[in-house]
Short mmCIF file of all heavy atoms in Angstrom, two decimals:
data_model
loop_
_atom_site.label_atom_id
_atom_site.label_comp_id
_atom_site.label_asym_id
_atom_site.label_seq_id
_atom_site.Cartn_x
_atom_site.Cartn_y
_atom_site.Cartn_z
N ASN E 346 91.25 65.22 100.50
CA ASN E 346 91.41 66.19 99.47
C ASN E 346 92.83 66.10 98.86
O ASN E 346 93.30 67.12 98.26
CB ASN E 346 91.21 67.61 100.08
CG ASN E 346 92.23 67.83 101.27
OD1 ASN E 346 93.10 67.05 101.50
ND2 ASN E 346 91.93 68.91 101.96
N GLY E 347 93.45 64.94 98.93
CA GLY E 347 94.76 64.79 98.40
C GLY E 347 95.91 65.25 99.40
O GLY E 347 96.98 64.85 99.21
N GLN E 348 95.52 65.96 100.39
CA GLN E 348 96.56 66.37 101.42
C GLN E 348 96.32 65.56 102.70
O GLN E 348 97.22 65.17 103.29
CB GLN E 348 96.37 67.83 101.78
CG GLN E 348 96.60 68.80 100.62
CD GLN E 348 96.66 70.24 101.07
OE1 GLN E 348 97.26 70.63 102.07
NE2 GLN E 348 95.84 71.12 100.43
N ILE E 349 95.03 65.31 103.07
CA ILE E 349 94.75 64.60 104.27
C ILE E 349 93.69 63.56 104.07
O ILE E 349 92.92 63.68 103.01
CB ILE E 349 94.29 65.54 105.43
CG1 ILE E 349 93.08 66.42 104.89
CG2 ILE E 349 95.37 66.37 105.96
CD1 ILE E 349 92.42 67.20 105.90
N SER E 350 93.62 62.60 104.89
CA SER E 350 92.52 61.64 104.87
C SER E 350 91.95 61.49 106.27
O SER E 350 92.72 61.56 107.25
CB SER E 350 93.01 60.22 104.49
OG SER E 350 93.16 60.11 103.11
N TYR E 351 90.67 61.33 106.31
CA TYR E 351 90.01 61.11 107.60
C TYR E 351 88.99 60.03 107.33
O TYR E 351 88.12 60.08 106.49
CB TYR E 351 89.26 62.41 108.10
CG TYR E 351 88.75 62.25 109.49
CD1 TYR E 351 89.46 62.83 110.54
CD2 TYR E 351 87.68 61.56 109.83
CE1 TYR E 351 89.04 62.68 111.85
CE2 TYR E 351 87.21 61.48 111.18
CZ TYR E 351 87.89 62.08 112.16
OH TYR E 351 87.47 61.91 113.48
N ILE E 352 89.17 58.87 108.03
CA ILE E 352 88.42 57.66 107.68
C ILE E 352 87.73 57.01 108.94
O ILE E 352 88.41 56.93 109.90
CB ILE E 352 89.35 56.59 107.03
CG1 ILE E 352 90.10 57.15 105.83
CG2 ILE E 352 88.49 55.39 106.53
CD1 ILE E 352 91.23 56.32 105.36
N PHE E 353 86.40 56.84 108.78
CA PHE E 353 85.78 56.05 109.86
C PHE E 353 84.66 55.21 109.29
O PHE E 353 84.38 55.30 108.12
CB PHE E 353 85.25 57.09 110.96
CG PHE E 353 84.22 58.10 110.46
CD1 PHE E 353 82.86 57.85 110.63
CD2 PHE E 353 84.61 59.28 109.86
CE1 PHE E 353 81.96 58.73 110.11
CE2 PHE E 353 83.74 60.17 109.40
CZ PHE E 353 82.34 59.94 109.56
N HIS E 354 84.07 54.42 110.19
CA HIS E 354 83.03 53.45 109.69
C HIS E 354 82.09 53.17 110.82
O HIS E 354 82.27 53.61 111.91
CB HIS E 354 83.74 52.16 109.21
CG HIS E 354 84.39 51.28 110.40
ND1 HIS E 354 84.56 50.03 110.35
CD2 HIS E 354 84.95 51.77 111.62
CE1 HIS E 354 85.15 49.64 111.46
NE2 HIS E 354 85.33 50.65 112.21
N VAL E 355 81.00 52.39 110.44
CA VAL E 355 80.09 52.02 111.48
C VAL E 355 80.57 50.65 111.94
O VAL E 355 80.77 49.66 111.16
CB VAL E 355 78.69 51.89 110.82
CG1 VAL E 355 77.62 51.45 111.93
CG2 VAL E 355 78.22 53.28 110.20
N MET E 356 80.67 50.57 113.25
CA MET E 356 81.17 49.30 113.85
C MET E 356 79.95 48.25 113.96
O MET E 356 78.89 48.63 113.81
CB MET E 356 81.82 49.51 115.20
CG MET E 356 82.97 50.41 115.13
SD MET E 356 83.85 50.56 116.74
CE MET E 356 82.65 51.31 117.81
N LYS E 357 80.27 47.09 114.32
CA LYS E 357 79.28 46.07 114.41
C LYS E 357 78.20 46.35 115.50
O LYS E 357 77.08 45.82 115.36
CB LYS E 357 79.83 44.66 114.49
CG LYS E 357 80.30 44.24 115.85
CD LYS E 357 80.92 42.84 115.60
CE LYS E 357 80.77 41.96 116.83
NZ LYS E 357 81.51 40.73 116.69
N ASN E 358 78.47 47.13 116.47
CA ASN E 358 77.50 47.50 117.47
C ASN E 358 76.65 48.74 117.04
O ASN E 358 75.86 49.22 117.77
CB ASN E 358 78.17 47.79 118.77
CG ASN E 358 79.00 49.02 118.79
OD1 ASN E 358 79.40 49.54 117.79
ND2 ASN E 358 79.34 49.52 119.99
N GLY E 359 76.91 49.21 115.78
CA GLY E 359 76.14 50.30 115.23
C GLY E 359 76.75 51.72 115.53
O GLY E 359 76.17 52.73 115.09
N GLN E 360 77.68 51.73 116.45
CA GLN E 360 78.30 53.06 116.75
C GLN E 360 79.51 53.30 115.76
O GLN E 360 79.91 52.40 114.99
CB GLN E 360 78.83 52.97 118.16
CG GLN E 360 77.70 52.87 119.21
CD GLN E 360 78.18 52.84 120.60
OE1 GLN E 360 79.34 52.87 120.93
NE2 GLN E 360 77.23 52.68 121.55
N LEU E 361 80.03 54.49 115.82
CA LEU E 361 81.04 54.83 114.86
C LEU E 361 82.42 54.53 115.43
O LEU E 361 82.79 54.83 116.50
CB LEU E 361 80.98 56.38 114.57
CG LEU E 361 79.75 56.88 113.88
CD1 LEU E 361 79.89 58.44 113.57
CD2 LEU E 361 79.52 56.11 112.57
N GLY E 362 83.22 53.94 114.49
CA GLY E 362 84.62 53.61 114.90
C GLY E 362 85.57 54.43 114.04
O GLY E 362 85.31 54.69 112.81
N HIS E 363 86.69 54.77 114.58
CA HIS E 363 87.64 55.61 113.93
C HIS E 363 88.64 54.75 113.28
O HIS E 363 89.15 53.83 113.86
CB HIS E 363 88.27 56.63 114.91
CG HIS E 363 89.34 57.48 114.23
ND1 HIS E 363 88.85 58.51 113.47
CD2 HIS E 363 90.65 57.50 114.25
CE1 HIS E 363 90.02 59.10 112.96
NE2 HIS E 363 91.09 58.51 113.47
N LEU E 364 89.06 55.06 112.05
CA LEU E 364 90.06 54.27 111.37
C LEU E 364 91.37 55.00 111.12
O LEU E 364 92.45 54.43 111.28
CB LEU E 364 89.51 53.76 110.03
CG LEU E 364 88.35 52.71 110.19
CD1 LEU E 364 87.79 52.38 108.77
CD2 LEU E 364 88.89 51.45 110.88
N TYR E 365 91.30 56.27 110.71
CA TYR E 365 92.58 56.89 110.33
C TYR E 365 92.30 58.40 110.21
O TYR E 365 91.37 58.92 109.74
CB TYR E 365 93.13 56.37 109.04
CG TYR E 365 94.28 57.08 108.56
CD1 TYR E 365 95.59 56.86 109.10
CD2 TYR E 365 94.22 58.07 107.55
CE1 TYR E 365 96.69 57.51 108.63
CE2 TYR E 365 95.39 58.74 107.06
CZ TYR E 365 96.59 58.46 107.62
OH TYR E 365 97.66 59.10 107.22
#
Side-chain angles (χ1 to χ4, degrees):
N346 57 10
Q348 298 186 49
I349 51 171
S350 280
Y351 191 100
I352 308 170
F353 61 95
H354 68 153
V355 179
M356 300 189 294
K357 75 185 213 185
N358 68 344
Q360 294 178 0
L361 294 184
H363 180 74
L364 292 174
Y365 174 78

